[in-house]
Amino acid sequence: MDYLNPLRLLSVLFTFELLSLSNGTESSADEECPVIITPDRMVIRYGDSPQTVQCQPNTTASTNVIKKPYWKVPERNITERVTWTPDTQQDWDPRPACAGEFVGKPKCTKPLDYTLYKKPDSVSILLVDNAGSVVKEDVDFQLTCEITNVAPAGNLTVRWYIGNVNFTSNETMNATGCFPQKDTDCDLNVTRSPMNVSQTINFHLNRTHNGAEIKCEAVLELGKIEPSEMSSPINITVHYKPWINTTELPHTIPLFRGYPEELVCNASGNPPPEIQWFDGQKHLVSGKTLSVNEAGVYNCSASNEVGSVSYAVKVILKEDYLPLIAGFVAVAVVAISIIFLFIYSIYYKNTKMRRYNLKNAKLSAHNGNVAHNGWDMQFPMTKLS
Ligand SMILES: *[C@@H]1O[C@H](CO)[C@@H](O)[C@H](O)[C@H]1NC(C)=O
Ligand SMILES: *[C@@H]1O[C@H](CO)[C@@H](O)[C@H](O)[C@H]1NC(C)=O
Ligand SMILES: *[C@@H]1O[C@H](CO)[C@@H](O)[C@H](O)[C@H]1NC(C)=O
Ligand SMILES: *[C@@H]1O[C@H](CO)[C@@H](O)[C@H](O)[C@H]1NC(C)=O
Ligand SMILES: *[C@@H]1O[C@H](CO)[C@@H](O)[C@H](O)[C@H]1NC(C)=O
Ligand SMILES: *[C@@H]1O[C@H](CO)[C@@H](O)[C@H](O)[C@H]1NC(C)=O
Ligand SMILES: *[C@@H]1O[C@H](CO)[C@@H](O)[C@H](O)[C@H]1NC(C)=O
Ligand SMILES: *[C@@H]1O[C@H](CO)[C@@H](O)[C@H](O)[C@H]1NC(C)=O
Ligand SMILES: *[C@@H]1O[C@H](CO)[C@@H](O)[C@H](O)[C@H]1NC(C)=O
Ligand SMILES: *[C@@H]1O[C@H](CO)[C@@H](O)[C@H](O)[C@H]1NC(C)=O
Ligand SMILES: *[C@@H]1O[C@H](CO)[C@@H](O)[C@H](O)[C@H]1NC(C)=O
Ligand SMILES: *[C@@H]1O[C@H](CO)[C@@H](O)[C@H](O)[C@H]1NC(C)=O
């Protein structure tokens, strides 16, 4: 059998030893190294008093220890120590690992989850290309957030604020002023020592953002803690085209003869617009109020350096019908009165005649004539004749 061959076995062991020497790490992928690291995660701040980290065999995993576990910190040339204490001024990426040798297992190591972080020296927000802080509505402009001396850059996110609204951008973050000695020196995901980082994003502001403060914040996302640093704000002035509030100024306005109407053209804009009234091409007044006493189409124009708008108001003449109605009522009253008077006068005449008739009837009774019918007669006058 092949594996019983001592020569072959020796060669296998030898090859293994060679591999171990060259690699430094020997843990197998699927089997965890039976060591216990306390604390198992170390997130420490730059300059803080250092913590010591221990490495012990995992006694619950029943393995016989060949050699007491020890620390390997390749970046610091440390190979065999039971405890290790990081230097919080410079151990940015020491890659500490606890190594162990156990019976029946190859040499193995377990890395320590270690992060030395540093809050940035400064966070500042800058206008790109020396653009002014006055922008036009809906015109893109760029702002850069510059973060100096922060670590680790791979755990950094930039949070932006416009007024009270905050957001993050997927725009790439760049290492600035980085002079690489190795090709990964300026890679934010790899380099764990302090770097200068910037993010530049496009802004697309509207009138509601006029005077809003814009800030950026560097946030180190380190799991349980999120140290952050805010930039000082910059004020952005948004210039926008005038806009006429037409809820106060309808398209058609009635004008009563003899009562002048005031038209108020309220326009907002930044910078505040110049407001003028025109009748066709004819300039009437400068200012928002126009007094009209004639029908016509009047144009309000509001303009500033961004643009101009105009709005036409049609003034239509309305007769004042109240005196007319009053007059009509008066005429009607007079007419009706006349008609009544006329009718009454006829009736009155009749009644008078009846009395006269009665007298006559009595007289005729004396005469012995048939006078009973006299009242029933439709036209007593005929009877008389
Ligand atoms: C120790 O070993 C046991 C058994 O293999 C395992 O369940 C446990 O998670 C290990 N402890 C640590 C801290 O690795
Ligand atoms: C580690 O040791 C190597 C050679 O032994 C040496 O060149 C290197 O400078 C040492 N590094 C540190 C950080 O001491
Ligand atoms: C950022 O905005 C979200 C809502 O979009 C809010 O819940 C959160 O509190 C804000 N964060 C800060 C730091 O203002
Ligand atoms: C960022 O996300 C937007 C969509 O949300 C996408 O259109 C854009 O290409 C992304 N930009 C980058 C740099 O990934
Ligand atoms: C940031 O880096 C990306 C690619 O890594 C590059 O396209 C972009 O121009 C850089 N931005 C700045 C502001 O340097
Ligand atoms: C970061 O910027 C500061 C100030 O601009 C500069 O002194 C420092 O050398 C820069 N650091 C790196 C790593 O580029
Ligand atoms: C850095 O890592 C993030 C995700 O963790 C990835 O989206 C990004 O492309 C990486 N950047 C570089 C320069 O490798
Ligand atoms: C201005 O922009 C914000 C979002 O950026 C949007 O919610 C708002 O509706 C916009 N306002 C106007 C008047 O366009
Ligand atoms: C830093 O970010 C990486 C990738 O997002 C994450 O795996 C790691 O846990 C973070 N570091 C800390 C200390 O949270
Ligand atoms: C921004 O504007 C506010 C008031 O609107 C003012 O108090 C503040 O000083 C301004 N900030 C800057 C950086 O100009
Ligand atoms: C327009 O005017 C009306 C009435 O005065 C007012 O309620 C409304 O808020 C104004 N609209 C704007 C956008 O200023
Ligand atoms: C025009 O606007 C001003 C201020 O916004 C307001 O005080 C005034 O009442 C408005 N005029 C009219 C006619 O609504």
Side-chain angles (χ1 to χ4, degrees):
M1 291 243 217
D2 213 19
Y3 61 87
L4 285 179
N5 183 340
L7 235 149
R8 172 114 179 113
L9 197 64
L10 200 70
S11 95
V12 165
L13 280 173
F14 184 66
T15 320
F16 186 71
E17 201 58 30
L18 267 181
L19 275 171
S20 320
L21 282 172
S22 60
N23 266 354
T25 55
E26 308 91 356
S27 59
S28 70
D30 36 25
E31 204 182 338
E32 211 195 344
C33 196
V35 291
I36 294 176
I37 298 172
T38 33
D40 65 345
R41 192 161 189 261
M42 210 177 207
V43 179
I44 46 172
R45 194 169 69 177
Y46 172 75
D48 263 9
S49 56
Q51 285 169 280
T52 296
V53 60
Q54 311 257 336
C55 186
Q56 283 154 337
N58 183 352
T59 48
T60 40
S62 53
T63 41
N64 292 319
V65 180
I66 295 173
K67 190 175 174 183
K68 237 182 142 187
Y70 54 91
W71 285 103
K72 280 185 164 183
V73 189
E75 299 292 304
R76 315 285 312 154
N77 279 353
I78 292 167
T79 50
E80 297 197 10
R81 289 225 201 125
V82 178
T83 63
W84 172 66
T85 307
D87 180 342
T88 61
Q89 302 276 346
Q90 47 185 323
D91 277 338
W92 300 109
D93 195 12
R95 300 171 205 207
C98 177
E101 290 174 34
F102 302 92
V103 175
K105 277 182 185 287
K107 278 185 183 177
C108 65
T109 60
K110 187 179 173 182
L112 166 66
D113 186 354
Y114 171 90
T115 304
L116 175 62
Y117 73 90
K118 185 184 168 303
K119 282 178 68 169
D121 287 345
S122 70
V123 178
S124 40
I125 189 163
L126 304 166
L127 289 147
V128 175
D129 303 331
N130 275 335
S133 61
V134 174
V135 298
K136 284 189 180 148
E137 183 174 39
D138 294 337
V139 173
D140 282 0
F141 73 104
Q142 294 184 313
L143 289 175
T144 295
C145 190
E146 273 194 2
I147 301 152
T148 56
N149 232 357
V150 67
N155 290 71
L156 182 72
T157 53
V158 179
R159 196 180 286 151
W160 295 85
Y161 293 80
I162 303 179
N164 295 323
V165 177
N166 70 74
F167 59 94
T168 55
S169 164
N170 61 357
E171 213 54 60
T172 54
M173 280 195 260
N174 293 34
T176 52
C178 185
F179 307 107
Q181 267 132 31
K182 288 181 288 173
D183 58 0
T184 55
D185 276 0
C186 299
D187 186 335
L188 304 186
N189 285 354
V190 175
T191 302
R192 299 179 65 82
S193 56
M195 293 177 91
N196 292 343
V197 178
S198 74
Q199 189 182 44
T200 299
I201 67 168
N202 259 335
F203 279 86
H204 193 73
L205 298 184
N206 65 34
R207 59 195 59 197
T208 58
H209 301 117
N210 182 39
E213 284 188 343
I214 303 185
K215 296 179 284 193
C216 66
E217 186 182 29
V219 183
L220 280 167
E221 293 186 328
L222 302 172
K224 286 198 193 99
I225 53 165
E226 291 200 341
S228 65
E229 188 84 14
M230 187 79 84
S231 75
S232 58
I234 60 165
N235 285 354
I236 296 291
T237 301
V238 181
H239 276 179
Y240 56 94
K241 201 175 140 167
W243 178 80
I244 296 171
N245 188 345
T246 55
T247 55
E248 298 155 345
L249 193 62
H251 262 300
T252 309
I253 289 182
L255 171 75
F256 294 107
R257 201 185 290 283
Y259 302 96
E261 190 68 34
E262 287 221 319
L263 307 182
V264 181
C265 181
N266 250 357
S268 58
N270 195 21
E274 193 195 346
I275 302 172
Q276 288 173 306
W277 280 100
F278 291 92
D279 180 0
Q281 294 298 311
K282 201 172 106 215
H283 177 249
L284 297 173
V285 290
S286 296
K288 62 180 179 181
T289 310
L290 173 72
S291 183
V292 290
N293 45 29
E294 269 179 61
V297 176
Y298 298 91
N299 278 298
C300 167
S301 135
S303 57
N304 64 13
E305 62 197 48
V306 187
S308 62
V309 282
S310 72
Y311 181 73
V313 179
K314 197 171 167 188
V315 173
I316 51 171
L317 200 59
K318 281 263 162 89
E319 284 301 340
D320 194 351
Y321 288 117
L322 207 68
L324 265 178
I325 290 165
F328 180 75
V329 168
V331 167
V333 166
V334 169
I336 289 164
S337 311
I338 289 169
I339 291 165
F340 265 90
L341 275 175
F342 181 67
I343 292 168
Y344 183 74
S345 68
I346 294 168
Y347 178 71
Y348 184 69
K349 236 181 182 172
N350 283 351
T351 332
K352 243 177 154 179
M353 276 168 194
R354 245 179 241 137
R355 271 189 211 142
Y356 181 68
N357 198 7
L358 190 65
K359 275 179 191 165
N360 284 349
K362 274 177 187 165
L363 282 172
S364 53
H366 276 277
N367 296 343
N369 267 357
V370 199
H372 324 285
N373 288 343
W375 274 110
D376 300 318
M377 301 284 276
Q378 281 287 328
F379 297 105
M381 273 197 279
T382 46
K383 190 124 199 252
L384 279 172
S385 54

